[in-house]
Amino acid sequence: MINVTPDEEKAIVDSKGKYRWSITPYYASLMDKDDPKCPIRQQAVPALQELMEYPGAEPDPVGDTVYRKTNRVVHKYPDRVIMLVTEVCAVYCRHCTRKFHTTNVSGTYFEENETLSWDLDFDYIASHPEIRDVLRTGGDPLTYGDERLEWIISRLRQIPHVEIIRIGSRYPVLLPQRITPEFCAMLDRYHPIWLNTHFNHPKEITPESAAACDRLLRHGVVVQNQTVLLKGINDSLETMQELLKGLLKIRVRPYYLYHCDNVTGVSHFATSIEKGREIMKGLIGHMTGFAVPQYIITTSLGKIPLWEEQVHQDEQGYWLDNYQGKTMRLQHTGTDE
Ligand SMILES: *Cc1c(COP(=O)(O)O)cnc(C)c1O
Ligand code: SF4
């Protein structure tokens, strides 16, 4: 489907035994045949940089493995957990933050494998009444069939304190045909369900991906988007604005813009924080508030916003900066009495 360059070919050969790769025909159909810099190609075709060493790179800088309580449950924040239901994905995104778990041939967070009893995971959630939000992620949960996914959701729904169920899936972008009416109808029976997907570039917004999101939305599933800031892919204000505008047109709400973590095999995609802040500066106020994601870095201490405050305080009170760079002093504020 593409004319593979000598570098891409070498990367595919050299990554054998180290990193998996897999690309759906649909996602490959979005690739530029001849341009190795194509944003779709760069996300999916192995690159030589993945095999190079970068200072400070770690397999798990965000500490998923530190906070793992059972085979699949990562409990980092008091009221919500993620459930790593699988390590399999439709496309192995080259920039995956869980590259060790998903893409590294000899790596996984699972102690044995994904067949290890699920009772331990459900029992953990059931015995922690503070957990009100379970996010099923992976790998990509939608690699499972509907029946298995429904079984997991129904087990979670038997736990009274689990109020919301979230799904993290890139299928709307990588294989939108997987979002069938039957799948959406199944989710519709277990609300409230939220789905976070992962569009990184406006080229990914196609009639097919739009239709997949529309099917979810029509079945009451709230669809939000998490983008990773990626060097050479979406690290320009123009591309980011186009992506965000495109998401609003398909009724997908931008949620997070992740700073790319220094993950082993991923470091070459990481931009500076200054770049991310510069992009945020070009978004806030220039676009409606609900087009603007939160710029976040994920750390072992949790997700932390990286956006600079637009409010400063001195002895005269508060100073406010607007999107055009104008500053004003806030004359009167309320009191707490
Ligand atoms: C990202 C994440 C969550 C969900 O965080 P939100 O900010 O609520 O979206 C929960 N648990 C872990 C371990 C996470 O990494
Ligand atoms: S689909 Fe998600 S979990 Fe899978 S490789 Fe891509 S970013 Fe990682």
Side-chain angles (χ1 to χ4, degrees):
M1 297 184 82
I2 59 170
N3 296 314
V4 179
T5 65
D7 272 2
E8 284 172 330
E9 196 171 332
K10 185 166 172 14
I12 288 167
V13 171
D14 290 359
S15 58
K16 199 169 175 181
K18 172 81 175 159
Y19 293 127
R20 296 184 178 91
W21 70 281
S22 160
I23 306 173
T24 59
Y26 162 80
Y27 200 59
S29 76
L30 306 181
M31 292 179 183
D32 188 296
K33 257 187 156 44
D34 298 307
D35 180 11
K37 295 269 168 246
C38 161
I40 310 294
R41 243 164 112 151
Q42 287 194 73
Q43 289 183 66
V45 179
L48 288 168
Q49 292 97 312
E50 287 172 50
L51 303 162
M52 296 176 185
E53 293 202 9
Y54 288 81
E58 294 172 62
D60 178 29
V62 309
D64 281 336
T65 47
V66 178
Y67 293 93
R68 239 180 81 229
K69 305 295 175 181
T70 65
N71 205 34
R72 301 179 183 80
V73 175
V74 182
H75 195 180
K76 195 174 189 178
Y77 304 98
D79 70 333
R80 54 206 190 276
V81 293
I82 57 175
M83 215 177 172
L84 303 172
V85 300
T86 177
E87 65 226 299
V88 181
C89 298
V91 170
Y92 290 101
C93 312
R94 309 324 298 170
H95 58 274
C96 182
T97 194
R98 294 201 186 99
K99 192 163 182 137
F100 177 78
H101 180 55
T102 58
T103 315
N104 193 315
V105 172
S106 51
T108 173
Y109 294 168
F110 293 141
E111 253 145 43
E112 296 185 15
N113 57 51
E114 58 179 75
T115 58
L116 194 74
S117 172
W118 289 74
D119 289 337
L120 301 169
D121 308 304
F122 293 123
D123 287 350
Y124 180 87
I125 296 168
S127 64
H128 287 79
E130 70 274 22
I131 299 171
R132 31 168 301 281
D133 172 353
V134 177
L135 165 54
R136 297 186 310 166
T137 176
D140 201 311
L142 269 64
T143 51
Y144 285 165
D146 291 357
E147 217 169 284
R148 188 124 183 242
L149 289 171
E150 179 163 16
W151 174 75
I152 302 170
I153 299 185
S154 62
R155 288 282 304 254
L156 291 172
R157 276 284 169 250
Q158 285 161 23
I159 305 172
H161 56 262
V162 174
E163 293 169 7
I164 65 170
I165 296 175
R166 288 197 259 176
I167 300 171
S169 174
R170 221 185 163 197
Y171 268 83
V173 180
L174 304 174
L175 187 58
Q177 296 80 0
R178 168 71 183 86
I179 314 294
T180 60
E182 295 73 29
F183 170 68
C184 297
M186 182 274 282
L187 295 182
D188 206 350
R189 293 195 289 274
Y190 295 94
H191 280 307
I193 306 268
W194 294 61
L195 187 141
N196 285 348
T197 191
H198 178 172
F199 286 89
N200 283 333
H201 192 276
K203 264 185 94 170
E204 294 167 340
I205 302 174
T206 63
E208 290 85 356
S209 62
C213 295
D214 183 62
R215 282 193 289 278
L216 288 163
L217 290 160
R218 282 174 197 270
H219 284 87
V221 178
V222 188
V223 185
Q224 305 194 103
N225 187 64
Q226 315 192 148
T227 295
V228 188
L229 181 60
L230 297 169
K231 193 189 288 177
I233 293 178
N234 59 16
D235 60 339
S236 84
L237 178 58
E238 207 185 6
T239 305
M240 195 58 73
Q241 281 190 343
E242 204 188 321
L243 170 65
L244 298 170
K245 282 188 269 188
L247 290 171
L248 294 197
K249 284 203 276 188
I250 61 167
R251 312 199 312 290
V252 171
R253 168 78 151 92
Y255 177 39
Y256 283 147
L257 171 63
Y258 287 117
H259 187 74
C260 183
D261 290 313
N262 195 5
V263 173
T264 307
V266 174
S267 311
H268 58 292
F269 286 117
T271 67
S272 67
I273 286 174
E274 287 68 32
K275 172 58 79 181
R277 286 180 161 176
E278 181 190 307
I279 289 173
M280 288 301 290
K281 212 168 175 162
L283 301 178
I284 294 175
H286 297 272
M287 302 181 82
T288 181
F290 63 90
V292 181
Q294 291 183 60
Y295 180 36
I296 294 283
I297 188 162
T298 307
T299 71
S300 57
L301 300 177
K303 296 181 174 76
I304 299 177
L306 283 174
W307 174 236
E308 283 171 294
E309 289 285 337
Q310 285 176 286
V311 183
H312 314 280
Q313 196 181 6
D314 63 15
E315 48 303 331
Q316 289 175 288
Y318 287 101
W319 292 90
L320 309 178
D321 298 335
N322 91 337
Y323 67 101
Q324 296 155 314
K326 293 181 183 156
T327 297
M328 63 176 277
R329 185 159 75 88
L330 197 59
Q331 300 285 357
H332 301 286
T333 62
T335 67
D336 298 322
E337 265 81 64

